[in-house]
Amino acid sequence: MKVVVDMNKCQDHGQCVFAAPDVFSMDDGGHLLYVSDPDDALRDEAEEAADVCPLQAIRIED
Amino acid sequence: MSSGRVVVVGASMAGLRAAEQLRAAGWTGAVTVVGDEPHMPYNRPPLSKEVLAGKASFDSLALTPKASTADVEWRLGTRAVAARLDERAVDLDDGSTLAYDGLVIATGMRPRRLRCSGPRTGRHTVRTLADARGLRDELTRPGVRVVVVGAGFIGCEVAATAVGLGVTEVTVVDPLPLPMVGPLGELLARALLRRHEERGVRFALGTGVAGFEGDDRVTGVVLGDGTVLPADVVVESVGSVANVEWLDGNGVDLGDGVLTDEWLRVGGRPEVVAVGDVARFPNARYDGVPRRVEHWSIPTDTAKHAAKSLAAHLAGRERESAPFAPLPTFWSDQHDFRLQSFGAPVLGIDDVRVLDGDPDGEVVVGYHIGERLVGVVALGGHTAAAKAARYRTDLLKQPTPAVPSTSTSTSTSAVPSALTVQGASK
Ligand SMILES: Cc1cc2nc3c(=O)[nH]c(=O)nc-3n(C[C@H](O)[C@H](O)[C@H](O)COP(=O)(O)OP(=O)(O)OC[C@H]3O[C@@H](n4cnc5c(N)ncnc54)[C@H](O)[C@@H]3O)c2cc1C
């Protein structure tokens, strides 16, 4: 599984961090950090994060 | 079960999520989504912000359907005109009828219109892409004077975007004394008013609209106190009305949206569910009183829960035992600041306390019933929103419910029946 985030769209809402804390986090400046090739066991979490992104900036690929 | 068909009426966010979540819940039968707009589902929040500002193309608004929905049939540009729930059939405006095994109601809301005398041309609402494009064309005319009726979320966003576009005369009218005071309470509403005024938005508060002036098109807005505000463009953002007329005649409670039970089922029928803005559902996290919630997070939350109960029913399985208990979340971007909300602030509006910061700068405010925190709203930039997020965990941990569930009626309830994104206004 690959996680792709369009950083031009991201506005740091942080909803993905609530949905998938093992994939997404915020640095001290409030900016997004993420794992681009997480374990497949995290797929549901990652999909949930993509769903709740207000900017729809997250894509999950195979 | 893999035969049969689920019909989803409404092809926006809630309709799309319902189709996706039906697949995720194991439904492999046919899915047909009927939508009266010509577009595939798109994201609405940018309509009052980036789209109006000319910073977003349609491509960037489109919601990308998941691969699991590749075989879903989309009947776009098609309106459902009637439902016959006893016969499990939906009639469409092209004269055809769709029979279903399962029905998902996802028809959302439309803007409420002012019923005042005067011309119609020059008066806008913002709900669809077509609306936003039409309004943008007018806001970009040089020297345009804009009156926004309704100081709710959408009214405040449109006013902020208009100022950002360089419109020098933007006035927001509302019969209430402060913007967004209904959903946010006085403390934040005051802070908001000041921020808008500092950035050039004018307000005419405490008075409603009595009528419009002009022959063919609007030239002015007449207020209740007789004042006339000159206007070339009027934006009506005075709340919304549920799109439920097509469900008339089925004995379903359509009093304010579609009443559902705690599994989002409609009219006691396990094969009919409602999702998104149109659903009036009890939230087990709070008092069990059914309410509509016009927040962006709700289409996804309701679709997940409803799809599970519908797919289980269609497969002859037991539905999940947990009742629906979402944590609503809302945001609103205005000028250079953001409002970020978690929980149900409106339920605790009589007891608002500053949790962090101060209302003149970055602030996080808590809403309480007794000692129970029921909602948190941040106003400011990044840091305020990040701080509010810390309270989200507290909100999730709060014991439920604060008030025992009374009945499915909202009429005796002291709290509003909709956690609406727009301030009520006339
Ligand atoms: C301008 C704007 C800005 C917003 N900004 C924010 C924000 O910043 N933050 C936030 O949290 N929320 C925001 N929201 C709220 C959020 O967008 C909504 O909660 C969400 O769009 C609801 O989705 P829905 O699918 O339930 O309803 P809708 O998006 O209303 O979709 C219903 C669809 O059904 C169609 N339909 C209706 N009747 C029929 C029929 N009889 N037959 C066929 N189709 C039919 C409609 O045309 C529409 O396409 C905003 C909303 C708007 C309008």
Side-chain angles (χ1 to χ4, degrees), chain B residues 9-15 34-37 44-49 78-81 106-109 126-128 154 157 243 246 275-278 293-297 299 329-333 421:
Chain B
V9 182
S12 183
M13 181 142 192
V34 178
D36 61 1
E37 289 186 71
R44 287 189 203 280
L47 295 180
S48 49
K49 311 170 186 91
T78 309
R79 167 178 287 269
V81 290
T107 41
M109 314 296 289
V126 191
R127 181 86 200 174
T128 66
I154 290 179
E157 287 179 3
N243 295 317
W246 64 283
V275 293
D277 278 6
V278 79
V293 183
E294 289 180 50
H295 292 178
W296 186 89
S297 60
T329 120
F330 177 88
W331 84 96
S332 176
D333 290 323
V421 299

Side-chain angles (χ1 to χ4, degrees), chain B residues 1-34:
Chain B
M1 175 174 167
S2 61
S3 64
R5 170 156 62 186
V6 173
V7 169
V8 180
V9 182
S12 183
M13 181 142 192
L16 171 65
R17 292 287 184 251
E20 292 173 343
Q21 292 302 323
L22 279 163
R23 291 286 184 247
W27 171 251
T28 53
V31 177
T32 301
V33 186
V34 178

